[in-house]
Amino acid sequence: MATLFKNYIGGKWIESSTGKRFERRNPANGELVAEYTSSNAADVDAAAQAAAEAFKSWRLYPAPKRGELLYKAAQILQDRKEEFSREMTEEMGKVISEARGDVQEAIDMTYYMAGEGRRLYGQTTPSELPNKFNMSVKKPIGVAGIITPWNFPMAIPSWKITPALIAGNTVVFKPASFTPRMAVRFVEVLEEAGIPGGVINLVIGGGGEVGHAVVEHPLVDLISFTGSTDTGISVAERAARQNKRCSLEMGGKNAIIVMDDADLELASDGILWSAFGTSGQRCTAGSRVIVHRAVQQELVGRLVDRAGGMRLGNGLDETVQIGPVVSQGQLETVAGYVKVGQDEGAVLATGGQVATAGELSCGFFHEPTIFDNVRADMRIAQEEIFGPVTSVVPVDSLEEAIGVVNGVKYGLSASIFTQDVNNAYRAMQDIFTGILYVNAGTIGAEIHLPFGGTKATGNGHREAGTATLDFYTEWQSIYVDYSGRLQRAQIDNQ
Ligand code: UN1
């Protein structure tokens, strides 16, 4: 019997009134991992009511004190890092070293936001009138509806929940149904750290039932969503009808430029890590390699040699480099794109098969796959695949490379490998992505810088860094007139 995990509403762990449950199996071997309560709109309503009630006192609890609770939470996360990492690998398949990185990202974020409790800076500025004081302060907004994906099951919830909480908001949290266990763990940690009941509420279930209800609930004031572009746009449309603030983090089609002067060994390291880390299931995954023709053959040769030797398997084995993809559906999507690439006439340089040797046949494994001589307008070079597939697009110049990087609907992450400082600065100037790396791959953003993308990747907001606090707060401008008489701005001082 697998453990049953429940919702957390108003400070209590409770099963949904639907009485329905669903299970999650290990994508590496099909073993039962856990059972979850399957919720509906009534559970979301209870969570939103609890969050709205808790907001009344949480917003007045001093921010440095909120920070102390988050500081405790970060310490608990740190103590339980190994246990959570193993559970994460079992539930969604990423290799254990990357699961540790995911938990570490949550630890980093939670400490960082704990510190913000003593900052949350506003502004003071002179008044245009005498004996008058002007300032602006950041105020919490209310109940934050948080909808997270399965690929970073602890890091992404932490990016959203900790800034929401430090700013004084309360939360209704709907995690991806592939990875509710990490959500349960994160909420358990917040509870143990002393976050009061009702401040954080967890509702487990599907997007159609629970996600929809979170977006539509009138007591939920703002929505932060990470997931696919199609779903994100529908979330934004529904949020807009109630004039809710909405932050979207969606797809990517991230490119790595390799110039003819690049260190090809370093570039190969960066490409393999970005393309096949997390089995390519990152929005930041390096899914295009834009290579100068002068070094195409040598680079592709190196990549093919090394990709062919990468070890697939259960991510709990420390020697495994590529774990399974998250589900049968995802595996089919990846296989479908491999077929699209072949039909489009790209050269399959390595991989291309669902991996079924031995124990791999019990899980959702796909070989690391590289397409060569891909044209920039092919579907495999335009659409997000979210699997271990990358496409090599040859070009003749930096200018052409930058055009290819920018020539997709997304704008999350990009990178350039070059030894020429002029090339690097040209790329920094002319590439329109939210994140840009020089001499590193496209993955591995740190939590204290803004994270997010342009065009179809986002809707203008940023997560992480202090930038995320702009989303979770509303500015209030305050004018204090101590002159003892009516002073009319724009009139009496002219
Ligand atoms: C994601 O893929 O949704 O920069 C997030 C990175 C990680 C976060 C990825 N720190 O790849």
Side-chain angles (χ1 to χ4, degrees):
M1 266 290 283
T3 315
L4 173 69
F5 292 98
K6 301 176 186 170
N7 291 333
Y8 185 68
I9 297 175
K12 292 195 176 63
W13 294 96
I14 42 177
E15 197 170 350
S16 165
S17 53
T18 62
K20 288 193 213 147
R21 296 173 181 184
F22 67 97
E23 59 180 36
R24 178 72 190 137
R25 289 182 177 272
N26 185 331
N29 55 24
E31 280 169 16
L32 188 60
V33 167
E35 232 193 332
Y36 297 100
T37 192
S38 181
S39 314
N40 65 7
D43 301 300
V44 172
D45 182 50
Q49 304 270 2
E53 185 56 33
F55 179 65
K56 293 178 189 160
S57 47
W58 182 245
R59 75 178 185 89
L60 299 173
Y61 193 66
K65 292 280 167 201
R66 300 197 286 254
E68 283 172 24
L69 300 181
L70 288 186
Y71 186 80
K72 255 188 230 159
Q75 287 177 313
I76 300 167
L77 285 171
Q78 207 156 26
D79 292 344
R80 298 182 67 184
K81 176 175 170 181
E82 188 59 24
E83 170 199 343
F84 292 165
S85 306
R86 299 183 79 78
E87 288 186 343
M88 186 185 302
T89 295
E90 278 167 13
E91 186 153 82
M92 60 70 70
K94 69 170 69 175
V95 297
I96 186 71
S97 57
E98 292 190 42
R100 291 183 189 119
D102 191 318
V103 178
Q104 187 59 44
E105 203 162 330
I107 295 168
D108 295 344
M109 183 55 99
T110 307
Y111 274 128
Y112 180 68
M113 282 299 155
E116 277 310 304
R118 286 196 181 264
R119 285 182 289 267
L120 284 177
Y121 293 135
Q123 299 158 339
T124 59
T125 184
S127 169
E128 64 189 45
L129 291 157
N131 298 320
K132 191 176 171 192
F133 188 89
N134 292 354
M135 62 188 151
S136 59
V137 297
K138 286 195 177 97
K139 304 259 287 227
I141 297 172
V143 178
I146 296 213
I147 303 176
T148 57
W150 46 263
N151 67 332
F152 275 80
M154 191 163 269
I156 292 181
S158 81
W159 298 359
K160 296 179 189 294
I161 292 171
T162 63
L165 294 182
I166 198 68
N169 303 286
T170 56
V171 169
V172 176
F173 171 27
K174 183 255 177 267
S177 26
F178 284 149
T179 52
R181 185 151 61 160
M182 282 304 100
V184 167
R185 295 304 185 217
F186 194 69
V187 171
E188 279 175 2
V189 166
L190 293 175
E191 180 188 32
E192 191 183 332
I195 301 282
V199 170
I200 170 85
N201 301 276
L202 170 70
V203 187
I204 300 170
E209 278 277 308
V210 177
H212 198 89
V214 171
V215 176
E216 302 270 318
H217 200 290
L219 287 177
V220 174
D221 300 288
L222 62 152
I223 302 291
S224 177
F225 167 87
T226 298
S228 73
T229 298
D230 288 349
T231 309
I233 286 173
S234 119
V235 164
E237 280 170 0
R238 285 179 290 120
R241 279 186 223 131
Q242 290 179 49
N243 194 29
K244 289 184 188 183
R245 185 181 286 219
C246 175
S247 164
L248 305 174
E249 280 304 333
M250 304 178 288
K253 191 69 191 173
N254 316 291
I256 299 174
I257 297 177
V258 182
M259 289 305 292
D260 48 353
D261 57 55
D263 173 340
L264 293 186
E265 189 58 22
L266 179 64
S268 306
D269 288 342
I271 292 165
L272 294 168
W273 170 229
S274 303
F276 304 133
T278 328
S279 304
Q281 302 169 114
R282 295 194 190 209
C283 10
T284 48
S287 61
R288 296 183 295 156
V289 178
I290 322 293
V291 63
H292 196 289
R293 265 185 226 280
V295 292
Q296 179 186 4
Q297 208 186 346
E298 190 183 342
L299 180 75
V300 173
R302 284 171 188 255
L303 294 175
V304 166
D305 278 353
R306 289 180 53 185
M310 288 179 96
R311 220 173 136 222
L312 275 72
N314 187 327
L316 285 180
D317 176 342
E318 304 267 358
T319 66
V320 161
Q321 291 159 293
I322 304 186
V325 298
V326 76
S327 66
Q328 178 65 30
Q330 198 65 29
L331 189 62
E332 284 164 15
T333 303
V334 174
Y337 270 109
V338 170
K339 179 155 186 331
V340 166
Q342 287 170 307
D343 291 349
E344 285 178 310
V347 174
L348 182 59
T350 186
Q353 298 295 321
V354 171
T356 52
E359 289 179 357
L360 298 183
S361 66
C362 304
F364 309 127
F365 292 92
H366 195 281
E367 292 174 351
T369 299
I370 300 173
F371 279 107
D372 194 11
N373 283 334
V374 177
R375 271 199 340 267
D377 62 352
M378 288 180 179
R379 281 184 61 198
I380 53 166
Q382 289 286 328
E383 297 174 19
E384 184 173 51
I385 298 176
F386 231 63
V389 180
T390 197
S391 294
V392 177
V393 181
V395 292
D396 291 305
S397 66
L398 178 62
E399 199 181 2
E400 187 185 351
I402 291 174
V404 172
V405 172
N406 288 331
V408 291
K409 69 174 182 173
Y410 300 110
L412 182 53
S413 182
S415 100
I416 180 166
F417 284 89
T418 180
Q419 312 260 30
D420 180 335
V421 71
N422 295 345
N423 286 342
Y425 273 86
R426 280 276 310 284
M428 285 152 59
Q429 173 184 279
D430 293 336
I431 289 177
F432 295 102
T433 52
I435 303 169
L436 183 70
Y437 293 88
V438 176
N439 289 327
T442 52
I443 68 177
E446 300 174 29
I447 58 93
H448 51 300
L449 276 76
F451 182 94
T454 60
K455 303 190 284 187
T457 295
N459 64 343
H461 297 288
R462 288 291 182 269
E463 304 204 84
T466 49
T468 195
L469 294 169
D470 290 336
F471 177 72
Y472 291 101
T473 55
E474 195 95 72
W475 282 111
Q476 182 174 53
S477 299
I478 302 175
Y479 302 93
V480 182
D481 191 321
Y482 53 97
S483 69
R485 62 194 168 87
L486 174 67
Q487 298 200 90
R488 297 173 302 172
Q490 294 96 32
I491 294 172
D492 289 339
N493 53 344
Q494 295 310 307

